[in-house]
Amino acid sequence: MQDIGLIGLAVMGQNLALNMAEKGWKVSVYNRTVQKVSAFIDGSARGSGIKGFSDLLEFVRSLARPRKIILMIKAGSPVDDIIDKMVPHLEKGDIIIDGGNSFFEDTVRREKDLRSRNLLYLGVGISGGEEGARHGPSIMPGGANEAWVHVKDIFQSIAAHVDNKPCCEWVGQGGAGHYVKMVHNGIEYGDMQLIAESYDLLKRGLGCTADELAALFSEWNTSYLESYLIEITASIFRKKDIDGTPLIDKIRDVAGQKGTGKWTVMNALDLGEPLSLIGEAVFARFLTGCIHERSAMSERFGSDVRGIRTNKKTFFKRLEKALYAAKIIAYTQGFALIKRASDEYGWDIDRGSCALMWRGGCIIRSAFLNRIDRAYAKNKNLPLLILDPFFARALQRSITSLRRIVTAGTASGIPLPCLSAALFWYDSICSSQLPSNLIQAQRDFFGAHTFERVDAERGQYFHEEWS
């Protein structure tokens, strides 16, 4: 009998199956399009011991009990459709594992529904793209906790390892696994936009060449900014097109998205968490899609972009510190959202464990995450990451650079939505007094919404006859 089954043979599914087989697990695979099964078995899976099936019932019967079946298919209705087809063939205690980017509320719904039918359901976030799936992703499992014991050895064997520890640990019940993956993706949106804004400042503001950019990002990757995204950005700047010019200059400035960043921001709005930097990153991607409007506006109003007159080396160091400050704030917002959701949904998520899982295999992996783990190891209930002494000192040393970079970009007409949002959030969270007293007075004026007074206890509300 086979140890585990996998449904969905797109590249991620194929690579995950090969990864499991390479680690010694006996794998069965199935795909709705039968030709994909035979092409995989006769192609890259040849000699791996992976068994392919064209019939769903035969696929299910090939698995040892409790059956463990990973779904690597498109989120949404396709997941519900395949579950409905499988359930009649399953038995009490069998485990369905959704390894796609499903919305966490769908995972909660499916877990409850399948539990009522005596089946177990896991919503598992998997990060690292095609390369990670093949050689070691970051894996974030959640759902029916009694299923974890049956899949733990498989998942931890195929996950990335850092310091001999697997980047895979139990996250929590219900939709916790997919939720943490969703926030991971939200932070990824913020990280990528911050890097893009830095690139814009360097190219349009300072006139840096692709070779200069490659050298600078390579240097940054040896500093406190060391990360996968900084590393690949340096490689991108080095890549030449067939005519010998930088390939980056040939790529249209329209960035796609699959929705996980949007879900993160929508949930933050539902929970009342100020996820401003990540929200701006999502809106920035929407703006890239307004290519016709941007073209029309540029033609009508022209460009206000002006060069930044400064010493390059000084600007490089200042931007490095500004990017670090903004990165700290992005992660602070993301981990604050995880805490808010964990409290709201009763998941008891260990945020330090999340940081450890993200150290390897995933897109936002970086040395920086070790420090986050240490912060939560010292104080599990730390309300904001920047209250940890290490991050407090780091932010104090770099916030002036962030302020100067935002000022320089604004004066030069270069849009910096995420760098600016980082500074806005920092200045707001550090303000004991905000102008929202005026907003509440306005609300009371036109809608009798009441207000609290500074000379009365919290929770006492007053109304004024303003007119």
Side-chain angles (χ1 to χ4, degrees):
M1 302 295 284
Q2 302 292 91
D3 298 312
I4 192 165
L6 183 144
I7 296 178
L9 290 176
V11 177
M12 280 286 289
Q14 291 185 26
N15 283 353
L16 203 64
L18 291 168
N19 187 353
M20 290 188 289
E22 191 176 76
K23 300 302 188 297
W25 302 103
K26 292 182 287 185
V27 184
S28 292
V29 297
Y30 169 83
N31 195 83
R32 185 180 59 180
T33 307
V34 177
Q35 292 86 341
K36 277 196 172 184
V37 178
S38 56
F40 177 54
I41 296 299
D42 295 336
S44 56
R46 183 185 295 274
S48 66
I50 297 173
K51 292 185 178 180
F53 293 86
S54 58
D55 180 80
L56 183 60
L57 178 57
E58 289 182 7
F59 163 79
V60 171
R61 285 176 173 172
S62 74
L63 305 173
R65 296 185 180 89
R67 300 178 178 94
K68 298 168 283 291
I69 302 171
I70 301 179
L71 309 180
M72 295 299 294
I73 60 180
K74 186 178 179 181
S77 58
V79 176
D80 292 311
D81 291 344
I82 194 65
I83 289 174
D84 289 342
K85 289 183 174 70
M86 276 196 301
V87 165
H89 306 313
L90 300 179
E91 299 177 0
K92 182 179 179 179
D94 286 347
I95 304 165
I96 299 175
I97 305 155
D98 181 4
N101 273 332
S102 288
F103 185 44
F104 79 97
E105 290 184 355
D106 288 337
T107 301
V108 171
R109 168 179 58 81
R110 291 168 184 145
E111 196 272 331
K112 288 180 179 177
D113 175 60
L114 289 169
R115 185 178 290 277
S116 71
R117 300 194 237 179
N118 295 314
L119 298 173
L120 302 178
Y121 190 77
L122 294 176
V124 179
I126 300 177
S127 178
E130 300 169 8
E131 187 72 13
R134 180 64 184 88
H135 299 293
S138 171
I139 303 177
M140 296 151 261
N145 53 7
E146 60 266 47
W148 173 231
V149 66
H150 297 290
V151 299
K152 179 179 179 179
D153 289 345
I154 298 175
F155 284 174
Q156 291 192 337
S157 71
I158 65 171
H161 283 67
V162 177
D163 299 331
N164 295 317
K165 293 181 180 179
C167 296
C168 171
E169 193 51 76
W170 182 248
V171 177
Q173 299 180 29
H178 274 145
Y179 189 92
V180 167
K181 173 57 165 45
M182 179 187 77
V183 176
H184 162 285
N185 285 20
I187 294 172
E188 179 185 308
Y189 274 59
D191 229 344
M192 293 172 73
Q193 179 63 29
L194 288 169
I195 292 171
E197 291 172 22
S198 301
Y199 156 64
D200 203 13
L201 281 166
L202 292 166
K203 182 175 181 174
R204 290 202 293 167
L206 286 187
C208 291
T209 66
D211 289 339
E212 285 180 301
L213 293 170
L216 178 61
F217 274 78
S218 293
E219 181 183 333
W220 283 355
N221 200 44
T222 63
S223 74
Y224 41 76
L225 290 177
E226 178 191 352
S227 69
Y228 172 73
L229 284 171
I230 293 290
E231 177 188 346
I232 67 169
T233 301
S235 298
I236 288 168
F237 291 137
R238 291 192 192 97
K239 187 69 175 179
K240 303 293 192 246
D241 200 5
I242 55 174
D243 62 0
T245 60
L247 179 58
I248 185 66
D249 294 338
K250 302 290 182 64
I251 299 175
R252 194 180 303 280
D253 58 333
V254 179
Q257 57 184 312
K258 292 188 175 179
T260 47
K262 181 179 71 174
W263 292 345
T264 308
V265 176
M266 290 170 63
N267 181 253
L269 292 170
D270 288 339
L271 297 180
E273 187 66 35
L275 203 74
S276 52
L277 190 154
I278 294 170
E280 287 295 341
V282 174
F283 287 127
R285 290 208 191 179
F286 289 154
L287 267 168
T288 70
C290 301
I291 191 163
H292 299 299
E293 294 89 339
R294 290 193 289 118
S295 179
M297 290 292 288
S298 178
E299 185 177 337
R300 172 64 180 81
F301 293 100
S303 173
D304 283 338
V305 173
R306 296 174 293 282
I308 300 172
R309 296 181 179 179
T310 186
N311 177 276
K312 273 189 175 183
K313 287 187 177 180
T314 300
F315 193 85
F316 291 167
K317 293 303 295 182
R318 187 171 291 162
L319 181 56
E320 181 182 20
K321 289 183 178 180
L323 185 54
Y324 187 50
K327 184 183 179 77
I328 291 171
I329 289 168
Y331 279 75
T332 297
Q333 290 187 3
F335 277 95
L337 179 61
I338 290 175
K339 184 179 188 306
R340 179 69 66 92
S342 181
D343 293 343
E344 177 73 17
Y345 305 128
W347 288 335
D348 193 27
I349 295 173
D350 183 335
R351 288 172 290 168
S353 178
C354 293
L356 288 179
M357 282 188 284
W358 294 348
R359 289 189 306 163
C362 72
I363 305 303
I364 62 171
R365 60 185 183 265
S366 66
F368 173 87
L369 289 159
N370 285 317
R371 288 290 185 178
I372 296 179
D373 171 54
R374 292 178 203 171
Y376 290 118
K378 286 186 292 183
N379 184 356
K380 180 182 177 181
N381 297 313
L382 188 68
L384 289 175
L385 184 62
I386 57 172
L387 292 174
D388 173 75
F390 172 83
F391 289 105
R393 288 192 299 270
L395 202 53
Q396 286 168 343
R397 287 194 297 263
S398 56
I399 198 67
T400 299
S401 292
L402 176 59
R403 198 176 300 284
R404 289 178 176 176
I405 287 295
V406 169
T407 300
T410 302
S412 301
I414 295 174
L416 305 175
C418 282
L419 287 166
S420 300
L423 185 59
F424 152 73
W425 183 88
Y426 173 82
D427 285 340
S428 297
I429 206 74
C430 292
S431 295
S432 61
Q433 178 69 47
L434 292 170
S436 42
N437 54 335
L438 176 57
I439 294 172
Q440 196 60 22
Q442 292 169 332
R443 294 182 74 242
D444 188 57
F445 191 111
F446 63 68
H449 292 294
T450 73
F451 55 88
E452 294 180 87
R453 293 179 60 99
V454 296
D455 53 2
E457 291 186 8
R458 289 298 311 270
Q460 293 187 46
Y461 294 91
F462 302 85
H463 168 62
E464 180 66 33
E465 293 296 336
W466 296 93
S467 59

